[in-house]
Amino acid sequence: MYIPPFDTTSYSTITQSPNPSWTYGQKVDATPAGKDWLAGESAGWKVYNTAEMDKANIRKLLNSGIAPRPMTIVSTISEDGVENLASFSWFNTVTDYPPVISFGINRNPAGHLKDTTRNLKNGQGFAVNIISEAFIENANAAAVDAPPDVDEWTLSGLTKEKCVQIRASRVKESAFSMECELYKSIDITHPVTGEHTSTLILAHVKYFHVRKDMLTGRGAVDLTKFKPVGRVGDISYARVGDTYRIPIPLWAQEEGKIQEALKTLAST
């Protein structure tokens, strides 16, 4: 199968939302795109009972169905000063005050704790570095299931940069890095077998490191420059395409429209 080369000239632009004329109570089939989407329901639904599924198929559905997921590479350090790198896509924000982020770490194929898990719990701190297109291959190399004596930093070609507070290095190539301390670690065990399968890490962000050329005039990160990478299942990744903006409804501003829509819907 022919796969075209990566398009380095691609860029993102802001467009209108898919249905900018949408009104409160409007059904999905009110637009041609909505009708096409709902037409797929004619094929029916496949229902999976996770108790009857094997690990591989559960993972396949989770990885491809919960997408896109942001990608990060986490840099840690052992108590002996050995630094480690590992990439993750089971990752996201939790809350902004205090700033807490999360990522999940599965045990390795042999069922043992990964170096990263041990390092995260040693009180030395760690850095969470967002992955951009320019170094996705470098970051991917850090995911190799290498023995403990292999240096992922050297293997990946990424560069260590000192942090403000923690001992671990951050990834210099990452335009958005976070110095973190462990907020809480939760061991995930299977409710039936009791097997310890993974660890959920909640991390308290102490410092942000953001490259100045990535910031907009409003102090936010410009996605068109940042070019973060998303995971979309198996070994597939995605880039940021066109974006659109939809304001969150505020009752104080929308109450009249909402009440009118509810009256109309009640009378039909």
Side-chain angles (χ1 to χ4, degrees):
M1 180 180 67
Y2 171 72
I3 300 178
F6 188 80
D7 182 5
T8 59
T9 64
S10 180
Y11 63 93
S12 301
T13 188
I14 298 176
T15 70
Q16 291 185 347
S17 66
N19 183 14
S21 61
W22 185 88
T23 57
Y24 292 107
Q26 186 181 97
K27 297 295 186 181
V28 175
D29 62 3
T31 66
K35 288 180 180 178
D36 288 344
W37 174 257
L38 294 179
E41 292 182 358
S42 62
W45 299 85
K46 184 172 178 60
V47 178
Y48 298 83
N49 181 347
T50 59
E52 299 172 355
M53 298 173 67
D54 60 32
K55 295 178 182 178
N57 282 327
I58 291 176
R59 187 178 183 87
K60 183 190 302 181
L61 283 179
L62 285 173
N63 279 344
S64 58
I66 303 176
R69 300 187 308 283
M71 288 289 300
T72 186
I73 186 166
V74 177
S75 42
T76 62
I77 189 169
S78 70
E79 293 179 346
D80 298 330
V82 178
E83 299 199 67
N84 177 266
L85 273 180
S87 56
F88 295 95
S89 67
W90 301 62
F91 158 72
N92 219 312
T93 57
V94 177
T95 179
D96 57 3
Y97 191 76
V100 174
I101 59 177
S102 70
F103 52 95
I105 310 174
N106 290 329
R107 289 203 162 204
N108 65 26
H112 302 142
L113 282 175
K114 295 182 179 179
D115 293 338
T116 299
T117 310
R118 284 190 290 269
N119 292 348
L120 289 168
K121 296 180 177 182
N122 66 16
Q124 305 295 314
F126 49 94
V128 178
N129 313 273
I130 304 301
I131 300 171
S132 294
E133 292 174 5
F135 61 95
I136 177 59
E137 282 86 2
N138 305 73
N140 184 59
V144 65
D145 56 344
D149 60 339
V150 173
D151 179 8
E152 291 91 356
W153 280 96
T154 301
L155 188 66
S156 69
L158 294 171
T159 310
K160 297 177 183 178
E161 188 74 4
K162 288 185 177 180
C163 288
V164 175
Q165 179 173 312
I166 65 173
R167 285 186 65 202
S169 302
R170 64 182 176 88
V171 175
K172 184 174 180 289
E173 289 80 3
S174 175
F176 190 97
S177 295
M178 295 165 279
E179 287 187 42
C180 301
E181 291 181 348
L182 181 65
Y183 182 82
K184 192 171 186 179
S185 125
I186 303 171
D187 289 336
I188 307 298
T189 57
H190 194 285
V192 176
T193 66
E195 178 188 3
H196 176 197
T197 58
S198 59
T199 302
L200 172 64
I201 297 295
L202 298 179
H204 183 194
V205 180
K206 305 296 287 187
Y207 289 90
F208 292 106
H209 295 263
V210 188
R211 237 171 61 181
K212 292 180 180 179
D213 64 330
M214 296 290 142
L215 293 170
T216 68
R218 298 183 299 107
V221 176
D222 186 339
L223 287 178
T224 62
K225 296 178 180 178
F226 189 30
K227 298 182 179 179
V229 174
R231 188 78 178 268
V232 291
D234 56 60
I235 59 171
S236 299
Y237 299 83
R239 69 194 318 177
V240 174
D242 293 341
T243 61
Y244 48 86
R245 297 167 64 84
I246 303 178
I248 298 174
L250 297 175
W251 182 260
Q253 298 174 2
E254 300 291 309
E255 180 182 2
K257 292 180 183 178
I258 292 174
Q259 295 289 14
E260 184 62 32
L262 291 174
K263 288 179 183 178
T264 301
L265 292 168
S267 62
T268 59

